[in-house]
Amino acid sequence: MPYEHQYQMIADGFENTSRDFAKWAEFLNLRANIVGKKLGLPGPPFPNFKATTYDEPQPGNVAAYPAINVSLQKAAGFLADIADCQVAMLNSVSTTLGLNPPLTPAKPVPAETTLGPTLTVSQLLHLILSWQQLDIGIFKTFMRVYGLVPEHHPLAPHPGPGKDDRLAAVILARLKVIKDDANSFVNIQHFAKPAPTALTTPGATEHDALANLEQQYHRLVDNYLVVLTVLPFHLFVATP
């Protein structure tokens, strides 16, 4: 319960990004089909993109929800998977633009390495929320460049007293939607996804799991920034 406000903000942010990503992926899929048809490309038509349904976490029979570190460690793994999907997107953009050398994906930099081993849970949550504000802003910029209307920024939450383990489970469930949608889009577009990225620490505690979450979120935002630098050129080249 001590961090319910921060956890609720993170959960709301991932819900917001999930809605934006689904709309963006559906549009890009339709756009790829239209552009491919006009250019006579062999790949399209691609199957229609279908967004993943969010499932609200439910208490189990033995314990109400998984332990916080268990949910957060899995959430960090989902972020790593999403970042791996971004690598596939970066490779596709590099090929389309004929970049030599190609775009270089970001590598995860552990918060514990860059800022020392004394970071508290509160400080890690602050870092994660900072990356999330960048993530939300970057993704809404993506959508506007394509002429799409993004979701409104999430409002400041007023969660009241709540259990951190439930909110950690909600964060995991929200990230699962984004992970499934990112993989669905990458598979539909036949992008080459790299080997899965392994997490550096086991996440045995809430602190360790949050450090992993921060590490992969840092990597994810850095990758989006790389995409953002070349997106206008990609739009120009990929439009007949």
Side-chain angles (χ1 to χ4, degrees):
M1 192 168 75
Y3 303 111
E4 73 271 6
H5 195 86
Q6 293 95 321
Y7 279 130
Q8 186 66 64
M9 289 177 68
I10 293 170
D12 290 348
F14 284 135
E15 177 185 8
N16 190 270
T17 299
S18 173
R19 296 179 187 276
D20 278 346
F21 185 89
K23 188 185 298 184
W24 188 62
E26 181 180 8
F27 175 81
L28 287 181
N29 190 68
L30 293 172
R31 185 178 184 280
N33 281 325
I34 294 170
V35 172
K37 185 176 181 180
K38 287 184 177 181
L39 296 180
L41 300 178
F46 298 120
N48 292 330
F49 173 84
K50 184 178 180 181
T52 303
T53 302
Y54 169 74
D55 293 322
E56 184 72 29
Q58 300 296 326
N61 295 326
V62 179
Y65 295 97
I68 297 173
N69 65 298
V70 172
S71 291
L72 294 178
Q73 182 73 357
K74 289 182 179 179
F78 286 172
L79 277 174
D81 195 308
I82 297 166
D84 290 339
C85 289
Q86 290 175 328
V87 174
M89 296 179 196
L90 286 170
N91 292 338
S92 173
V93 172
S94 293
T95 300
T96 301
L97 294 178
L99 299 180
N100 188 20
L103 297 173
T104 303
K107 294 182 179 180
V109 179
E112 298 296 286
T113 299
T114 56
L115 298 176
T118 58
L119 291 176
T120 65
V121 167
S122 179
Q123 288 170 324
L124 285 168
L125 285 168
H126 180 76
L127 274 174
I128 291 166
L129 282 166
S130 297
W131 292 125
Q132 188 167 69
Q133 289 305 305
L134 281 171
D135 181 28
I136 289 172
I138 292 167
F139 214 93
K140 293 187 187 309
T141 300
F142 284 165
M143 297 189 69
R144 292 188 179 100
V145 169
Y146 280 101
L148 301 174
V149 178
E151 295 285 318
H152 292 294
H153 282 269
L155 299 175
H158 300 281
K163 296 191 69 175
D164 292 351
D165 56 357
R166 179 184 67 83
L167 294 171
V170 171
I171 290 170
L172 176 64
R174 292 294 183 190
L175 275 173
K176 182 180 184 301
V177 173
I178 302 175
K179 174 190 73 74
D180 289 347
D181 282 351
N183 277 276
S184 176
F185 177 72
V186 165
N187 290 335
I188 286 173
Q189 297 291 326
H190 305 297
F191 294 161
K193 188 178 174 184
T197 297
L199 303 181
T200 55
T201 57
T205 66
E206 179 181 8
H207 178 276
D208 292 342
L210 281 171
N212 271 326
L213 192 70
E214 191 279 336
Q215 178 190 38
Q216 297 303 324
Y217 211 179
H218 187 167
R219 173 185 171 222
L220 183 149
V221 170
D222 282 350
N223 278 339
Y224 271 149
L225 286 170
V226 174
V227 174
L228 194 60
T229 61
V230 296
L231 186 57
F233 301 100
H234 179 253
L235 277 171
F236 178 77
V237 172
T239 301

